Amino acid sequence: MTSSEKWPRVAVVGAGAVGGYFGGMLARAGAPVVMIGRPAFVEAAGKNGLFLDTLQFKEAVRVEASTELEAVRGADVVLFCVKTTDTESTARALAPLLSSSATLVSLQNGVDNAEKIRDAGIDALSAVVYVAASVPLPARVKHVGRGDLVIGPRNTRTEDFAALFERAGVSCRISDNIDGELWTKLIWNCALNAISALGRARYGQIAASEDARKVVENAVNEVLTVAAAAGIRLPGVADIQAGLAGALKIATQMSGAFSSTAQDLVRGKRTEIDSLNGYIARRGAELGVATPVNHALYTLVKLAEESNEVAAPKSGAAATK
């Protein structure tokens, strides 16, 4: 799939499930894409390309691949897809490599990544990611649900970014309340990720369990209370009923997926729980809001992370951001 219209050069920093899917969709449409990832990814992509196993198609696409951050030089658009635990160190390393005209967009969980990236001297934008995908093998992305973005506020840079993805067949909505959009996504992450990890459960199992839904409801209520205390306006989430309905809708849309937190625990990796339930627990303490459920979920995941005793989901299971 190509076009006579010139594509910007795209660099993906962190070629995992999210970077692989969205970078892969751009490459499939004809954009020149370089993906920066681990040696196993680079080796596999160099031999056979990046294989996209999606709900709509199965196809190998050619991408440039490198293990070195230096490969971002000359990029017009940078998709910043590293784990939140690596945000600050990666941003500091990237800062001297980017041109002043490059647009860097954070495609990460959590609500404060762009701020951390800006502290490193990069004028970053925030995007909200909705995709259920995993990497069962190096350079192979398994997509099982959604695959769309939200960016904002509306300006020339965000309009160009949205147009780039729309051209590649990826829905990208522009919002003038991007902070609220990030917090809305945080609700779903706090409601589902830790439960999926600790219960070794797909999202559909959570939605089907009456007891799990009660935990989800309490976690959502705490996030809404913290958001209100922080002065965040949440689009489309006026009360706990709307928040719970939204979380269960996400769980149903991505019913076959395990959370990215579950996948990280299984693989012995550090999770992003500090940026999810942990963030709510810390922010709640700062604002004088009690968050016992989010604090408990955070604590249990940290204990599981440290002991690495969580059993693995089946290898074909998908992770969702």
Side-chain angles (χ1 to χ4, degrees):
M1 297 176 65
T2 60
S3 169
S4 59
E5 183 181 352
K6 184 178 179 181
W7 289 89
R9 178 170 171 78
V10 178
V12 177
V13 179
V18 170
Y21 177 77
F22 289 106
M25 290 295 288
L26 290 174
R28 180 176 184 260
V33 175
V34 58
M35 294 191 169
I36 299 165
R38 299 184 185 278
F41 168 85
V42 173
E43 181 181 0
K47 287 181 178 178
N48 304 309
L50 172 69
F51 192 84
L52 299 177
D53 181 359
T54 79
L55 293 174
Q56 293 78 32
F57 61 86
K58 302 180 190 297
E59 184 178 326
V61 297
R62 303 304 302 181
V63 296
E64 184 182 344
S66 175
T67 59
E68 303 298 326
L69 282 179
E70 287 279 343
V72 304
R73 288 190 185 275
D76 302 300
V77 176
V78 179
L79 307 185
F80 193 87
C81 305
V82 302
K83 291 290 186 182
T84 57
T85 51
D86 299 321
T87 294
E88 291 159 307
S89 61
T90 305
R92 288 193 299 269
L94 275 178
L97 305 177
L98 299 179
S99 72
S100 59
S101 61
T103 296
L104 183 145
V105 184
S106 166
L107 272 65
Q108 300 169 279
N109 283 326
V111 297
D112 60 350
N113 291 291
E115 180 181 345
K116 293 177 180 178
I117 298 168
R118 291 182 196 119
D119 287 342
I122 301 170
D123 188 14
L125 299 174
S126 294
V128 185
V129 178
Y130 290 106
V131 66
S134 66
V135 182
L137 294 169
R140 186 180 183 95
V141 175
K142 174 68 175 176
H143 166 246
V144 298
R146 292 191 64 168
D148 51 287
L149 301 167
V150 184
I151 195 168
R154 183 177 293 278
N155 54 44
T156 300
R157 287 202 300 162
T158 57
E159 288 176 349
D160 288 346
F161 184 85
L164 172 66
F165 276 94
E166 293 286 353
R167 187 178 167 197
V170 174
S171 175
C172 185
R173 177 168 58 87
I174 299 176
S175 171
D176 285 325
N177 180 17
I178 193 62
D179 288 338
E181 300 281 358
L182 288 166
W183 271 78
T184 298
K185 171 69 181 301
L186 182 63
I187 295 173
W188 320 142
N189 281 145
C190 288
L192 301 170
N193 277 40
I195 297 175
S196 171
L198 296 167
R200 291 176 285 179
R202 290 180 172 84
Y203 281 3
Q205 293 173 268
I206 298 172
S209 167
E210 182 178 351
D211 288 327
R213 290 198 304 272
K214 290 178 182 177
V215 181
V216 169
E217 182 175 6
N218 287 326
V220 167
N221 188 47
E222 291 177 6
V223 178
L224 291 177
T225 305
V226 172
I232 303 296
R233 179 173 57 85
L234 299 171
V237 187
D239 51 34
I240 181 60
Q241 288 75 25
L244 177 61
L248 296 178
K249 180 180 179 180
I250 293 289
T252 301
Q253 288 175 333
M254 304 181 180
S255 61
F258 287 94
S259 72
S260 56
T261 305
Q263 293 281 333
D264 285 340
L265 283 180
V266 166
R267 293 169 182 163
K269 296 181 179 179
R270 290 179 63 192
T271 74
E272 297 180 309
I273 201 67
D274 291 274
S275 299
L276 306 178
N277 305 85
Y279 177 86
I280 290 300
R282 293 192 304 275
R283 195 75 178 99
E286 293 170 359
L287 296 168
V289 177
T291 59
V293 173
N294 278 276
H295 186 265
L297 291 170
Y298 160 74
T299 301
L300 292 171
V301 170
K302 291 299 285 187
L303 289 171
E305 179 182 295
E306 291 167 7
S307 62
N308 195 26
E309 293 176 351
V310 175
K314 293 180 180 179
S315 61
T320 179
K321 294 298 283 185

PDB file of all heavy atoms in Angstrom, residues 16-54:
ATOM      1  N   GLY A  16       7.576  -2.581  20.831  1.00  0.00           N
ATOM      2  CA  GLY A  16       6.810  -3.653  21.439  1.00  0.00           C
ATOM      3  C   GLY A  16       5.460  -3.783  20.763  1.00  0.00           C
ATOM      4  O   GLY A  16       5.333  -3.552  19.553  1.00  0.00           O
ATOM      5  N   ALA A  17       4.442  -4.134  21.544  1.00  0.00           N
ATOM      6  CA  ALA A  17       3.110  -4.341  20.973  1.00  0.00           C
ATOM      7  C   ALA A  17       2.528  -3.045  20.410  1.00  0.00           C
ATOM      8  O   ALA A  17       2.022  -3.006  19.286  1.00  0.00           O
ATOM      9  CB  ALA A  17       2.179  -4.935  22.028  1.00  0.00           C
ATOM     10  N   VAL A  18       2.586  -1.969  21.194  1.00  0.00           N
ATOM     11  CA  VAL A  18       2.007  -0.700  20.762  1.00  0.00           C
ATOM     12  C   VAL A  18       2.814  -0.096  19.617  1.00  0.00           C
ATOM     13  O   VAL A  18       2.278   0.255  18.565  1.00  0.00           O
ATOM     14  CB  VAL A  18       1.921   0.287  21.943  1.00  0.00           C
ATOM     15  CG1 VAL A  18       1.557   1.693  21.453  1.00  0.00           C
ATOM     16  CG2 VAL A  18       0.876  -0.186  22.935  1.00  0.00           C
ATOM     17  N   GLY A  19       4.126   0.033  19.808  1.00  0.00           N
ATOM     18  CA  GLY A  19       4.962   0.576  18.751  1.00  0.00           C
ATOM     19  C   GLY A  19       4.941  -0.273  17.504  1.00  0.00           C
ATOM     20  O   GLY A  19       4.934   0.237  16.380  1.00  0.00           O
ATOM     21  N   GLY A  20       4.913  -1.606  17.701  1.00  0.00           N
ATOM     22  CA  GLY A  20       4.869  -2.510  16.565  1.00  0.00           C
ATOM     23  C   GLY A  20       3.584  -2.380  15.772  1.00  0.00           C
ATOM     24  O   GLY A  20       3.600  -2.377  14.531  1.00  0.00           O
ATOM     25  N   TYR A  21       2.453  -2.262  16.484  1.00  0.00           N
ATOM     26  CA  TYR A  21       1.174  -2.171  15.774  1.00  0.00           C
ATOM     27  C   TYR A  21       1.047  -0.851  15.018  1.00  0.00           C
ATOM     28  O   TYR A  21       0.820  -0.831  13.801  1.00  0.00           O
ATOM     29  CB  TYR A  21      -0.001  -2.324  16.739  1.00  0.00           C
ATOM     30  CG  TYR A  21      -1.338  -2.173  16.047  1.00  0.00           C
ATOM     31  CD1 TYR A  21      -1.851  -3.215  15.287  1.00  0.00           C
ATOM     32  CD2 TYR A  21      -2.040  -0.975  16.094  1.00  0.00           C
ATOM     33  CE1 TYR A  21      -3.058  -3.067  14.599  1.00  0.00           C
ATOM     34  CE2 TYR A  21      -3.237  -0.820  15.420  1.00  0.00           C
ATOM     35  CZ  TYR A  21      -3.740  -1.873  14.675  1.00  0.00           C
ATOM     36  OH  TYR A  21      -4.929  -1.725  13.987  1.00  0.00           O
ATOM     37  N   PHE A  22       1.214   0.262  15.723  1.00  0.00           N
ATOM     38  CA  PHE A  22       0.985   1.551  15.065  1.00  0.00           C
ATOM     39  C   PHE A  22       2.095   1.891  14.074  1.00  0.00           C
ATOM     40  O   PHE A  22       1.825   2.405  12.986  1.00  0.00           O
ATOM     41  CB  PHE A  22       0.815   2.646  16.124  1.00  0.00           C
ATOM     42  CG  PHE A  22      -0.478   2.533  16.878  1.00  0.00           C
ATOM     43  CD1 PHE A  22      -0.503   2.072  18.182  1.00  0.00           C
ATOM     44  CD2 PHE A  22      -1.675   2.873  16.279  1.00  0.00           C
ATOM     45  CE1 PHE A  22      -1.691   1.946  18.879  1.00  0.00           C
ATOM     46  CE2 PHE A  22      -2.883   2.761  16.959  1.00  0.00           C
ATOM     47  CZ  PHE A  22      -2.891   2.288  18.262  1.00  0.00           C
ATOM     48  N   GLY A  23       3.341   1.584  14.418  1.00  0.00           N
ATOM     49  CA  GLY A  23       4.420   1.775  13.456  1.00  0.00           C
ATOM     50  C   GLY A  23       4.260   0.863  12.259  1.00  0.00           C
ATOM     51  O   GLY A  23       4.533   1.254  11.115  1.00  0.00           O
ATOM     52  N   GLY A  24       3.808  -0.359  12.523  1.00  0.00           N
ATOM     53  CA  GLY A  24       3.583  -1.302  11.439  1.00  0.00           C
ATOM     54  C   GLY A  24       2.484  -0.863  10.496  1.00  0.00           C
ATOM     55  O   GLY A  24       2.591  -1.046   9.273  1.00  0.00           O
ATOM     56  N   MET A  25       1.428  -0.279  11.033  1.00  0.00           N
ATOM     57  CA  MET A  25       0.345   0.216  10.181  1.00  0.00           C
ATOM     58  C   MET A  25       0.826   1.359   9.291  1.00  0.00           C
ATOM     59  O   MET A  25       0.442   1.446   8.111  1.00  0.00           O
ATOM     60  CB  MET A  25      -0.826   0.678  11.052  1.00  0.00           C
ATOM     61  CG  MET A  25      -1.564  -0.467  11.750  1.00  0.00           C
ATOM     62  SD  MET A  25      -2.407  -1.598  10.603  1.00  0.00           S
ATOM     63  CE  MET A  25      -3.777  -0.547  10.052  1.00  0.00           C
ATOM     64  N   LEU A  26       1.686   2.218   9.834  1.00  0.00           N
ATOM     65  CA  LEU A  26       2.245   3.299   9.009  1.00  0.00           C
ATOM     66  C   LEU A  26       3.140   2.727   7.915  1.00  0.00           C
ATOM     67  O   LEU A  26       3.082   3.163   6.761  1.00  0.00           O
ATOM     68  CB  LEU A  26       3.033   4.266   9.895  1.00  0.00           C
ATOM     69  CG  LEU A  26       2.224   5.130  10.858  1.00  0.00           C
ATOM     70  CD1 LEU A  26       3.157   5.925  11.764  1.00  0.00           C
ATOM     71  CD2 LEU A  26       1.292   6.075  10.104  1.00  0.00           C
ATOM     72  N   ALA A  27       3.975   1.742   8.273  1.00  0.00           N
ATOM     73  CA  ALA A  27       4.866   1.127   7.280  1.00  0.00           C
ATOM     74  C   ALA A  27       4.061   0.421   6.198  1.00  0.00           C
ATOM     75  O   ALA A  27       4.404   0.488   5.004  1.00  0.00           O
ATOM     76  CB  ALA A  27       5.807   0.145   7.975  1.00  0.00           C
ATOM     77  N   ARG A  28       3.011  -0.254   6.594  1.00  0.00           N
ATOM     78  CA  ARG A  28       2.165  -0.967   5.618  1.00  0.00           C
ATOM     79  C   ARG A  28       1.559   0.008   4.616  1.00  0.00           C
ATOM     80  O   ARG A  28       1.387  -0.318   3.433  1.00  0.00           O
ATOM     81  CB  ARG A  28       1.061  -1.729   6.352  1.00  0.00           C
ATOM     82  CG  ARG A  28       0.117  -2.516   5.432  1.00  0.00           C
ATOM     83  CD  ARG A  28      -0.878  -3.324   6.268  1.00  0.00           C
ATOM     84  NE  ARG A  28      -1.725  -4.140   5.427  1.00  0.00           N
ATOM     85  CZ  ARG A  28      -2.972  -3.838   5.077  1.00  0.00           C
ATOM     86  NH1 ARG A  28      -3.533  -2.715   5.516  1.00  0.00           N
ATOM     87  NH2 ARG A  28      -3.673  -4.643   4.296  1.00  0.00           N
ATOM     88  N   ALA A  29       1.255   1.222   5.085  1.00  0.00           N
ATOM     89  CA  ALA A  29       0.647   2.214   4.202  1.00  0.00           C
ATOM     90  C   ALA A  29       1.666   2.898   3.303  1.00  0.00           C
ATOM     91  O   ALA A  29       1.288   3.593   2.356  1.00  0.00           O
ATOM     92  CB  ALA A  29      -0.094   3.261   5.036  1.00  0.00           C
ATOM     93  N   GLY A  30       2.944   2.715   3.590  1.00  0.00           N
ATOM     94  CA  GLY A  30       3.967   3.280   2.726  1.00  0.00           C
ATOM     95  C   GLY A  30       4.942   4.224   3.383  1.00  0.00           C
ATOM     96  O   GLY A  30       5.868   4.718   2.732  1.00  0.00           O
ATOM     97  N   ALA A  31       4.772   4.516   4.671  1.00  0.00           N
ATOM     98  CA  ALA A  31       5.684   5.435   5.350  1.00  0.00           C
ATOM     99  C   ALA A  31       7.032   4.767   5.615  1.00  0.00           C
ATOM    100  O   ALA A  31       7.090   3.572   5.912  1.00  0.00           O
ATOM    101  CB  ALA A  31       5.074   5.889   6.675  1.00  0.00           C
ATOM    102  N   PRO A  32       8.134   5.516   5.509  1.00  0.00           N
ATOM    103  CA  PRO A  32       9.436   4.980   5.905  1.00  0.00           C
ATOM    104  C   PRO A  32       9.523   4.949   7.429  1.00  0.00           C
ATOM    105  O   PRO A  32       9.456   5.996   8.076  1.00  0.00           O
ATOM    106  CB  PRO A  32      10.430   5.979   5.302  1.00  0.00           C
ATOM    107  CG  PRO A  32       9.670   7.260   5.197  1.00  0.00           C
ATOM    108  CD  PRO A  32       8.231   6.884   4.960  1.00  0.00           C
ATOM    109  N   VAL A  33       9.649   3.761   7.990  1.00  0.00           N
ATOM    110  CA  VAL A  33       9.604   3.595   9.436  1.00  0.00           C
ATOM    111  C   VAL A  33      10.860   2.885   9.918  1.00  0.00           C
ATOM    112  O   VAL A  33      11.239   1.842   9.370  1.00  0.00           O
ATOM    113  CB  VAL A  33       8.359   2.769   9.869  1.00  0.00           C
ATOM    114  CG1 VAL A  33       8.381   2.506  11.376  1.00  0.00           C
ATOM    115  CG2 VAL A  33       7.078   3.503   9.472  1.00  0.00           C
ATOM    116  N   VAL A  34      11.497   3.454  10.933  1.00  0.00           N
ATOM    117  CA  VAL A  34      12.586   2.769  11.613  1.00  0.00           C
ATOM    118  C   VAL A  34      12.119   2.441  13.025  1.00  0.00           C
ATOM    119  O   VAL A  34      11.573   3.293  13.715  1.00  0.00           O
ATOM    120  CB  VAL A  34      13.880   3.616  11.641  1.00  0.00           C
ATOM    121  CG1 VAL A  34      13.664   4.963  12.321  1.00  0.00           C
ATOM    122  CG2 VAL A  34      14.995   2.844  12.355  1.00  0.00           C
ATOM    123  N   MET A  35      12.304   1.188  13.422  1.00  0.00           N
ATOM    124  CA  MET A  35      11.884   0.741  14.739  1.00  0.00           C
ATOM    125  C   MET A  35      13.099   0.409  15.589  1.00  0.00           C
ATOM    126  O   MET A  35      13.974  -0.337  15.158  1.00  0.00           O
ATOM    127  CB  MET A  35      10.965  -0.480  14.623  1.00  0.00           C
ATOM    128  CG  MET A  35       9.648  -0.177  13.960  1.00  0.00           C
ATOM    129  SD  MET A  35       8.474  -1.540  14.137  1.00  0.00           S
ATOM    130  CE  MET A  35       6.978  -0.732  13.572  1.00  0.00           C
ATOM    131  N   ILE A  36      13.121   0.973  16.778  1.00  0.00           N
ATOM    132  CA  ILE A  36      14.234   0.759  17.693  1.00  0.00           C
ATOM    133  C   ILE A  36      13.779  -0.197  18.784  1.00  0.00           C
ATOM    134  O   ILE A  36      12.809   0.076  19.509  1.00  0.00           O
ATOM    135  CB  ILE A  36      14.695   2.095  18.290  1.00  0.00           C
ATOM    136  CG1 ILE A  36      15.160   3.019  17.160  1.00  0.00           C
ATOM    137  CG2 ILE A  36      15.811   1.872  19.311  1.00  0.00           C
ATOM    138  CD1 ILE A  36      15.305   4.450  17.554  1.00  0.00           C
ATOM    139  N   GLY A  37      14.429  -1.340  18.864  1.00  0.00           N
ATOM    140  CA  GLY A  37      14.001  -2.359  19.813  1.00  0.00           C
ATOM    141  C   GLY A  37      15.153  -3.237  20.259  1.00  0.00           C
ATOM    142  O   GLY A  37      16.332  -2.925  20.026  1.00  0.00           O
ATOM    143  N   ARG A  38      14.818  -4.331  20.861  1.00  0.00           N
ATOM    144  CA  ARG A  38      15.816  -5.258  21.385  1.00  0.00           C
ATOM    145  C   ARG A  38      16.438  -6.069  20.250  1.00  0.00           C
ATOM    146  O   ARG A  38      15.861  -6.171  19.158  1.00  0.00           O
ATOM    147  CB  ARG A  38      15.163  -6.176  22.420  1.00  0.00           C
ATOM    148  CG  ARG A  38      14.595  -5.431  23.624  1.00  0.00           C
ATOM    149  CD  ARG A  38      14.035  -6.377  24.666  1.00  0.00           C
ATOM    150  NE  ARG A  38      13.406  -5.649  25.749  1.00  0.00           N
ATOM    151  CZ  ARG A  38      14.062  -5.107  26.780  1.00  0.00           C
ATOM    152  NH1 ARG A  38      15.381  -5.225  26.851  1.00  0.00           N
ATOM    153  NH2 ARG A  38      13.417  -4.457  27.736  1.00  0.00           N
ATOM    154  N   PRO A  39      17.603  -6.671  20.510  1.00  0.00           N
ATOM    155  CA  PRO A  39      18.291  -7.432  19.458  1.00  0.00           C
ATOM    156  C   PRO A  39      17.440  -8.518  18.816  1.00  0.00           C
ATOM    157  O   PRO A  39      17.507  -8.717  17.598  1.00  0.00           O
ATOM    158  CB  PRO A  39      19.495  -8.025  20.196  1.00  0.00           C
ATOM    159  CG  PRO A  39      19.788  -7.037  21.288  1.00  0.00           C
ATOM    160  CD  PRO A  39      18.438  -6.542  21.734  1.00  0.00           C
ATOM    161  N   ALA A  40      16.629  -9.222  19.604  1.00  0.00           N
ATOM    162  CA  ALA A  40      15.804 -10.286  19.026  1.00  0.00           C
ATOM    163  C   ALA A  40      14.810  -9.726  18.022  1.00  0.00           C
ATOM    164  O   ALA A  40      14.563 -10.334  16.965  1.00  0.00           O
ATOM    165  CB  ALA A  40      15.066 -11.040  20.131  1.00  0.00           C
ATOM    166  N   PHE A  41      14.222  -8.550  18.330  1.00  0.00           N
ATOM    167  CA  PHE A  41      13.309  -7.902  17.396  1.00  0.00           C
ATOM    168  C   PHE A  41      14.037  -7.503  16.128  1.00  0.00           C
ATOM    169  O   PHE A  41      13.567  -7.747  15.014  1.00  0.00           O
ATOM    170  CB  PHE A  41      12.666  -6.677  18.040  1.00  0.00           C
ATOM    171  CG  PHE A  41      11.939  -5.805  17.051  1.00  0.00           C
ATOM    172  CD1 PHE A  41      10.633  -6.087  16.690  1.00  0.00           C
ATOM    173  CD2 PHE A  41      12.575  -4.716  16.453  1.00  0.00           C
ATOM    174  CE1 PHE A  41       9.966  -5.302  15.752  1.00  0.00           C
ATOM    175  CE2 PHE A  41      11.924  -3.931  15.517  1.00  0.00           C
ATOM    176  CZ  PHE A  41      10.619  -4.226  15.178  1.00  0.00           C
ATOM    177  N   VAL A  42      15.194  -6.873  16.285  1.00  0.00           N
ATOM    178  CA  VAL A  42      15.945  -6.378  15.138  1.00  0.00           C
ATOM    179  C   VAL A  42      16.359  -7.528  14.225  1.00  0.00           C
ATOM    180  O   VAL A  42      16.241  -7.446  12.997  1.00  0.00           O
ATOM    181  CB  VAL A  42      17.174  -5.585  15.612  1.00  0.00           C
ATOM    182  CG1 VAL A  42      18.057  -5.209  14.427  1.00  0.00           C
ATOM    183  CG2 VAL A  42      16.725  -4.337  16.365  1.00  0.00           C
ATOM    184  N   GLU A  43      16.801  -8.620  14.805  1.00  0.00           N
ATOM    185  CA  GLU A  43      17.207  -9.768  14.014  1.00  0.00           C
ATOM    186  C   GLU A  43      16.029 -10.350  13.237  1.00  0.00           C
ATOM    187  O   GLU A  43      16.127 -10.635  12.033  1.00  0.00           O
ATOM    188  CB  GLU A  43      17.812 -10.848  14.918  1.00  0.00           C
ATOM    189  CG  GLU A  43      18.286 -12.080  14.156  1.00  0.00           C
ATOM    190  CD  GLU A  43      18.871 -13.145  15.071  1.00  0.00           C
ATOM    191  OE1 GLU A  43      18.911 -12.929  16.294  1.00  0.00           O
ATOM    192  OE2 GLU A  43      19.281 -14.203  14.548  1.00  0.00           O
ATOM    193  N   ALA A  44      14.883 -10.535  13.929  1.00  0.00           N
ATOM    194  CA  ALA A  44      13.713 -11.123  13.277  1.00  0.00           C
ATOM    195  C   ALA A  44      13.154 -10.202  12.196  1.00  0.00           C
ATOM    196  O   ALA A  44      12.783 -10.650  11.109  1.00  0.00           O
ATOM    197  CB  ALA A  44      12.640 -11.430  14.321  1.00  0.00           C
ATOM    198  N   ALA A  45      13.085  -8.900  12.497  1.00  0.00           N
ATOM    199  CA  ALA A  45      12.560  -7.953  11.515  1.00  0.00           C
ATOM    200  C   ALA A  45      13.472  -7.870  10.300  1.00  0.00           C
ATOM    201  O   ALA A  45      13.007  -7.719   9.161  1.00  0.00           O
ATOM    202  CB  ALA A  45      12.400  -6.574  12.146  1.00  0.00           C
ATOM    203  N   GLY A  46      14.781  -7.968  10.512  1.00  0.00           N
ATOM    204  CA  GLY A  46      15.714  -7.931   9.398  1.00  0.00           C
ATOM    205  C   GLY A  46      15.583  -9.122   8.476  1.00  0.00           C
ATOM    206  O   GLY A  46      15.751  -9.006   7.260  1.00  0.00           O
ATOM    207  N   LYS A  47      15.239 -10.275   9.040  1.00  0.00           N
ATOM    208  CA  LYS A  47      15.112 -11.490   8.237  1.00  0.00           C
ATOM    209  C   LYS A  47      13.774 -11.577   7.511  1.00  0.00           C
ATOM    210  O   LYS A  47      13.710 -11.882   6.314  1.00  0.00           O
ATOM    211  CB  LYS A  47      15.266 -12.719   9.133  1.00  0.00           C
ATOM    212  CG  LYS A  47      16.683 -12.980   9.619  1.00  0.00           C
ATOM    213  CD  LYS A  47      16.722 -14.235  10.465  1.00  0.00           C
ATOM    214  CE  LYS A  47      18.140 -14.545  10.936  1.00  0.00           C
ATOM    215  NZ  LYS A  47      18.165 -15.762  11.804  1.00  0.00           N
ATOM    216  N   ASN A  48      12.710 -11.328   8.249  1.00  0.00           N
ATOM    217  CA  ASN A  48      11.373 -11.607   7.714  1.00  0.00           C
ATOM    218  C   ASN A  48      10.414 -10.430   7.713  1.00  0.00           C
ATOM    219  O   ASN A  48       9.249 -10.581   7.356  1.00  0.00           O
ATOM    220  CB  ASN A  48      10.733 -12.752   8.511  1.00  0.00           C
ATOM    221  CG  ASN A  48      11.588 -14.002   8.524  1.00  0.00           C
ATOM    222  OD1 ASN A  48      12.014 -14.469   7.474  1.00  0.00           O
ATOM    223  ND2 ASN A  48      11.869 -14.532   9.713  1.00  0.00           N
ATOM    224  N   GLY A  49      10.882  -9.251   8.145  1.00  0.00           N
ATOM    225  CA  GLY A  49       9.984  -8.124   8.254  1.00  0.00           C
ATOM    226  C   GLY A  49       9.175  -8.181   9.545  1.00  0.00           C
ATOM    227  O   GLY A  49       9.331  -9.090  10.359  1.00  0.00           O
ATOM    228  N   LEU A  50       8.339  -7.197   9.735  1.00  0.00           N
ATOM    229  CA  LEU A  50       7.437  -7.149  10.883  1.00  0.00           C
ATOM    230  C   LEU A  50       6.115  -7.786  10.476  1.00  0.00           C
ATOM    231  O   LEU A  50       5.461  -7.317   9.536  1.00  0.00           O
ATOM    232  CB  LEU A  50       7.215  -5.701  11.326  1.00  0.00           C
ATOM    233  CG  LEU A  50       6.155  -5.477  12.402  1.00  0.00           C
ATOM    234  CD1 LEU A  50       6.596  -6.054  13.745  1.00  0.00           C
ATOM    235  CD2 LEU A  50       5.852  -3.982  12.545  1.00  0.00           C
ATOM    236  N   PHE A  51       5.721  -8.855  11.161  1.00  0.00           N
ATOM    237  CA  PHE A  51       4.482  -9.547  10.787  1.00  0.00           C
ATOM    238  C   PHE A  51       3.331  -9.021  11.624  1.00  0.00           C
ATOM    239  O   PHE A  51       3.352  -9.080  12.856  1.00  0.00           O
ATOM    240  CB  PHE A  51       4.614 -11.051  10.978  1.00  0.00           C
ATOM    241  CG  PHE A  51       3.479 -11.813  10.346  1.00  0.00           C
ATOM    242  CD1 PHE A  51       3.501 -12.135   8.994  1.00  0.00           C
ATOM    243  CD2 PHE A  51       2.363 -12.172  11.090  1.00  0.00           C
ATOM    244  CE1 PHE A  51       2.449 -12.816   8.397  1.00  0.00           C
ATOM    245  CE2 PHE A  51       1.301 -12.855  10.514  1.00  0.00           C
ATOM    246  CZ  PHE A  51       1.347 -13.179   9.158  1.00  0.00           C
ATOM    247  N   LEU A  52       2.312  -8.508  10.944  1.00  0.00           N
ATOM    248  CA  LEU A  52       1.106  -8.006  11.591  1.00  0.00           C
ATOM    249  C   LEU A  52      -0.004  -9.043  11.446  1.00  0.00           C
ATOM    250  O   LEU A  52      -0.472  -9.311  10.337  1.00  0.00           O
ATOM    251  CB  LEU A  52       0.668  -6.684  10.966  1.00  0.00           C
ATOM    252  CG  LEU A  52       1.651  -5.517  11.063  1.00  0.00           C
ATOM    253  CD1 LEU A  52       1.104  -4.303  10.321  1.00  0.00           C
ATOM    254  CD2 LEU A  52       1.945  -5.171  12.512  1.00  0.00           C
ATOM    255  N   ASP A  53      -0.399  -9.634  12.560  1.00  0.00           N
ATOM    256  CA  ASP A  53      -1.489 -10.604  12.596  1.00  0.00           C
ATOM    257  C   ASP A  53      -2.672  -9.890  13.229  1.00  0.00           C
ATOM    258  O   ASP A  53      -2.842  -9.881  14.447  1.00  0.00           O
ATOM    259  CB  ASP A  53      -1.057 -11.820  13.419  1.00  0.00           C
ATOM    260  CG  ASP A  53      -2.133 -12.898  13.493  1.00  0.00           C
ATOM    261  OD1 ASP A  53      -3.237 -12.689  12.922  1.00  0.00           O
ATOM    262  OD2 ASP A  53      -1.895 -13.930  14.133  1.00  0.00           O
ATOM    263  N   THR A  54      -3.485  -9.246  12.393  1.00  0.00           N
ATOM    264  CA  THR A  54      -4.559  -8.394  12.893  1.00  0.00           C
ATOM    265  C   THR A  54      -5.927  -9.016  12.652  1.00  0.00           C
ATOM    266  O   THR A  54      -6.060 -10.048  11.997  1.00  0.00           O
ATOM    267  CB  THR A  54      -4.510  -7.005  12.223  1.00  0.00           C
ATOM    268  OG1 THR A  54      -5.082  -7.086  10.904  1.00  0.00           O
ATOM    269  CG2 THR A  54      -3.082  -6.483  12.135  1.00  0.00           C
TER     270      THR A  54
END
